Amino acid sequence: MTQPELLALLESEPEKGMRELINRYSALLYKTVYHIVGNSARAQDVEELVSDVFFGVYTSRETIDPEKGGIAAFLITLSKRRAIDFLRKNGKTENLLLPLDDEMIQKGGADTLAEVEEREQRQALLNAVIALGHPESTIIFRKFFYGETYEQIGKKLKMSKNAVNKRYLKALKKLKNEMKGEC
Amino acid sequence: MTEKELDSLFRQISAEEAEEISASDIDFSADEAFADRIYLSTMEKAEKKGEIQMIKRIKTKKGFAVLLAAAVLLLIFAAGTAAHTYFRYPDRQKLREEMNNFDTLHISRIAELASAGPGDIIVQNKEVKVNGYTVTFEAIVKANSFREILSDEGKTHLENEYSEGTFAVVTISRDDGGQLRPTFENPEGDEKTLHQVSGFPLIHGVVPNALLYITSAFPQYYFEDDVMYYFCNITDELCFADKGLSLAIISDAPFEPKEIALDENGVPYFTESAPALHAMFDLPIDPSYADAEQQETFIRQHDFIRWAE
């Protein structure tokens, strides 16, 4: 389902649309929020923050403009703001390593050379992961990015833990070889 | 690039960068249970705000599902206790006598639990003495019974919370009563300690291939009171029950091709090249577990599998 189709579903059948939206983005938003609040929040708090974001989308779904960047970008931005609000409200801003303002949300100005190189390295990594093909790409992504266990990944992909492990090891070897030149 | 460097690089990836590749075939979606929780929480908020009236429908649906699940479980339990199992258990007295050699309290509960849960714990109690070691195939255990048989220390050692699957439980000890040192303390190994232990099921007729049995990154063994407890996942191979299955234990990982061979009936055995610690057991899985479709899936997922001619 494309993003315009998702927005259309949100409008025509809001509950179905929310279900689809949550299935698709809740894991990514959880990671986004957790990346900011870290150990300042319990897991239930992080889930609550993610739920707040989706609730915000649900109540303002008619105002979402698909022309102004995708709905995912909108969700990610909301998540970051929500996470920062949480830290401010709970007086835990000392845990935040990044500036507590819009600079964190949207950095202006040119990147330094180091930042450009780092971004290119990350992009090369993501391209190498995509090149692995399914299910290896999903296994690697969920293992490293989401930090899921083999068992969790297996449940998602309907594979046994052992099968996931074997695929993971083979994919990791391929990925290491691909990324050799990027170090 | 090392795994650690890859991990570090992944941590730098922002949600926006990750989202940019969402059009690829990578599955980003949330775990079902997690998504359900978020959905329910979101809709509860919406209901409180007067946006929707669907929360009652959700609760009813969920409540009905829970009731139905409970009723089904009750039926299965009733059928199970009345059913005649394919593994015949000796009476409890005889079983206790046979298991007198168990010197660890938690494993001795296998005997009690075996009669309580048909199919969940199948006692084997088969022993092989090899080069100063005793390797005992203790039982075949369903994962949901793990917590019944493991000591508190055992539970803390198993890194993953196993919630499903079938495992062969093996213990290894030294005949001279000496200490077994964990392999990470002695990665090079010597004649008195284990270098590395791996255990894996072998399908009769399939040419043994170490690629099929790469050691899991998560520990599947632990040491307690100079005994090594090894948990070998045999879930995937159960569907080959009609072909015959064996359980191989070897102090090597992965094994060398010359260490295991097949006899004229396709049954695997250890050759003279096998390392000091090696033991082969028959895995007595009932042929009713055989499943042609699952076999095809297994073969498709392991496309390097070869059948002996």
Side-chain angles (χ1 to χ4, degrees), chain A residues 19 47 51 142 160 166 168, chain B residues 3 27 36-37 212 236:
Chain A
R19 175 62 89 165
E47 284 191 17
S51 162
R142 294 186 82 98
S160 70
K166 286 164 198 168
Y168 168 77
Chain B
E3 197 169 341
D27 185 350
D36 283 347
R37 286 201 304 276
L212 285 169
D236 288 350

Side-chain angles (χ1 to χ4, degrees), chain A residues 37-50:
Chain A
V37 303
N39 294 329
S40 304
R42 300 168 306 166
Q44 301 98 297
D45 293 331
V46 179
E47 284 191 17
E48 192 63 24
L49 292 172
V50 170

Side-chain angles (χ1 to χ4, degrees), chain A residues 4-119:
Chain A
E5 285 168 352
L6 187 50
L7 282 172
L9 186 64
L10 260 179
E11 201 180 314
S12 60
E13 292 178 86
E15 287 144 30
K16 255 193 192 166
M18 283 308 296
R19 175 62 89 165
E20 180 62 32
L21 200 68
I22 288 168
N23 283 350
R24 197 184 282 208
Y25 294 114
S26 53
L28 191 61
L29 297 198
Y30 185 95
K31 171 128 177 98
T32 305
V33 170
Y34 184 79
H35 183 66
I36 294 171
V37 303
N39 294 329
S40 304
R42 300 168 306 166
Q44 301 98 297
D45 293 331
V46 179
E47 284 191 17
E48 192 63 24
L49 292 172
V50 170
S51 162
D52 283 346
V53 169
F54 284 112
F55 173 60
V57 167
Y58 183 78
T59 52
S60 58
R61 60 193 181 276
E62 284 152 21
T63 63
I64 297 171
D65 185 352
E67 300 298 319
K68 288 186 187 168
I71 191 167
F74 177 61
L75 286 169
I76 291 167
T77 302
L78 275 185
S79 305
K80 287 181 177 175
R81 288 193 193 279
R82 196 69 194 85
I84 294 170
D85 285 346
F86 173 86
L87 287 177
R88 281 196 181 116
K89 196 170 150 188
N90 290 280
K92 292 183 179 178
T93 55
E94 72 277 5
N95 293 330
L96 192 62
L97 300 176
L98 300 164
L100 268 192
D101 52 29
D102 280 345
E103 185 179 334
M104 197 206 144
I105 310 297
Q106 194 175 357
K107 188 171 178 300
D111 291 334
T112 63
L113 182 61
E115 283 167 341
V116 169
E117 282 176 357
E118 282 165 9
R119 191 170 57 243

